[in-house]
Amino acid sequence: MGQSFGRANCKDVDVASRVLLIEDDATIGEVLTSSLRSHAHQVFWERTGADGIARAAASAVDLVLLDLGLPDIDGVEVCRQLRRTQPGCVLVMLTARSAEMDVVVGLEAGADDYLVKPIRLAELHARIRAHLRRNEEGSIAPSVRAIGDLVVDVPRRRVTVAGRELRLRPKEFDLLARLAAEPEVAHSRETLMSEVWDEHWFGSTKTLDVHVAALRRKIGEVAAADHAHVPTILTVRGHGYRLQLVAPDAGGTPP
Ligand code: CA
């Protein structure tokens, strides 16, 4: 088990947590471990995908930093497995592959966020703080909102369609909760990225599109199976997205 470092009153630390680092590169692993510990996080460092998966199963972790280039199992597959077994933890990919397709594949496999190597420590800590603070406090005022047959229960972090619970990843939930807090309002991409992900977001907003696509698919599948009347996430061209309940016979296919 990892060691705990009780420096929670360190000035720039507001959330300390249990971080699982899965990284085979010794130099990067040592730098990240030491930096995370200096920010009061408890760190478990595993060097292979198999050991990382085993560690996640054995120890509750709040956040996983996952290198995509691992010696045994491809990081995307590790991501997929972790997401199945640890639906509630925040999963951040560390990748040398900045090609957009690779990032999208990782996000579709269940990652909440990604950082491209070489990793800047200030950015790493800013992202971790933003993720953990949101996980702890929730980014949206607690409420339960029903829009048609879709119910978004923010205090319990549950979403149901006609009574059937959807399995959403943390950021999918946050995004849907944000849209559902103000249905029929067009939210800009920048607003959604900054409110749901990070106030200092400066990366690709492809993350947003991938999460919207996943929400449309998950809500749509259950709604179709149960003939439920659910709102649609509509694309507002050149601006962003809005959640809108359309008449049951109007199709409701997103543009
Ligand atoms: Ca590697």
Side-chain angles (χ1 to χ4, degrees):
M1 303 295 280
Q3 296 159 273
S4 189
F5 289 75
R7 290 171 53 187
N9 58 353
C10 181
K11 198 173 154 217
D12 58 344
V13 172
D14 42 15
V15 184
S17 64
R18 296 156 68 89
V19 177
L20 169 59
L21 170 66
I22 308 175
E23 169 63 76
D24 62 307
D25 184 292
T27 308
I28 296 175
E30 276 159 22
V31 168
L32 292 184
T33 298
S34 126
S35 181
L36 289 163
R37 286 181 175 157
S38 76
H39 280 67
H41 298 294
Q42 185 177 342
V43 184
F44 307 106
W45 175 17
E46 300 295 349
R47 290 152 181 83
T48 66
D51 287 346
I53 290 166
R55 169 62 73 182
S59 315
V61 295
D62 305 300
L63 185 137
V64 179
L65 297 174
L66 171 64
D67 176 32
L68 279 193
L70 291 167
D72 57 339
I73 310 172
D74 186 80
V76 171
E77 180 52 30
V78 175
C79 187
R80 210 167 272 133
Q81 291 196 32
L82 287 175
R83 184 46 79 209
R84 266 202 300 275
T85 56
Q86 313 289 318
C89 82
V90 176
L91 230 156
V92 179
M93 298 184 296
L94 308 178
T95 177
R97 316 171 189 173
S98 58
E100 194 160 79
M101 269 318 292
D102 293 324
V103 168
V104 168
V105 166
L107 292 168
E108 284 176 346
D112 298 294
D113 197 0
Y114 64 92
L115 288 165
V116 175
K117 294 177 180 178
I119 290 158
R120 290 164 45 238
L121 292 175
E123 184 186 3
L124 170 74
H125 290 297
R127 293 286 181 86
I128 289 178
R129 265 200 301 280
H131 280 296
L132 295 178
R133 195 185 299 135
R134 291 215 163 80
N135 252 18
E136 195 153 88
E137 298 169 2
S139 55
I140 301 107
S143 66
V144 179
R145 185 174 282 272
I147 305 164
D149 293 325
L150 176 83
V151 177
V152 181
D153 183 338
V154 176
R156 289 169 199 80
R157 293 186 68 83
R158 287 180 79 228
V159 173
T160 56
V161 168
R164 276 175 62 186
E165 185 162 1
L166 298 187
R167 286 173 61 88
L168 298 185
R169 284 146 38 186
K171 288 296 170 197
E172 290 168 359
F173 177 87
D174 291 343
L175 175 59
L176 182 60
R178 184 67 197 84
L179 292 168
E182 293 174 280
E184 302 189 15
V185 170
H187 300 275
S188 75
R189 304 175 64 83
E190 293 71 27
T191 301
L192 292 170
M193 288 307 302
S194 70
E195 291 188 4
V196 176
W197 274 267
D198 187 332
E199 61 264 46
H200 304 300
W201 185 267
F202 53 85
S204 160
T205 59
K206 200 74 198 158
T207 305
L208 175 60
D209 301 320
V210 171
H211 281 70
V212 165
L215 281 173
R216 282 174 175 162
R217 190 182 66 247
K218 290 180 180 183
I219 294 169
E221 280 171 3
V222 175
D226 289 358
H227 304 291
H229 185 205
V230 291
T232 304
I233 302 175
L234 296 172
T235 302
V236 182
R237 296 232 176 268
H239 184 71
Y241 295 102
R242 76 168 185 269
L243 191 66
Q244 176 125 17
L245 199 57
V246 291
D249 54 0
T253 308

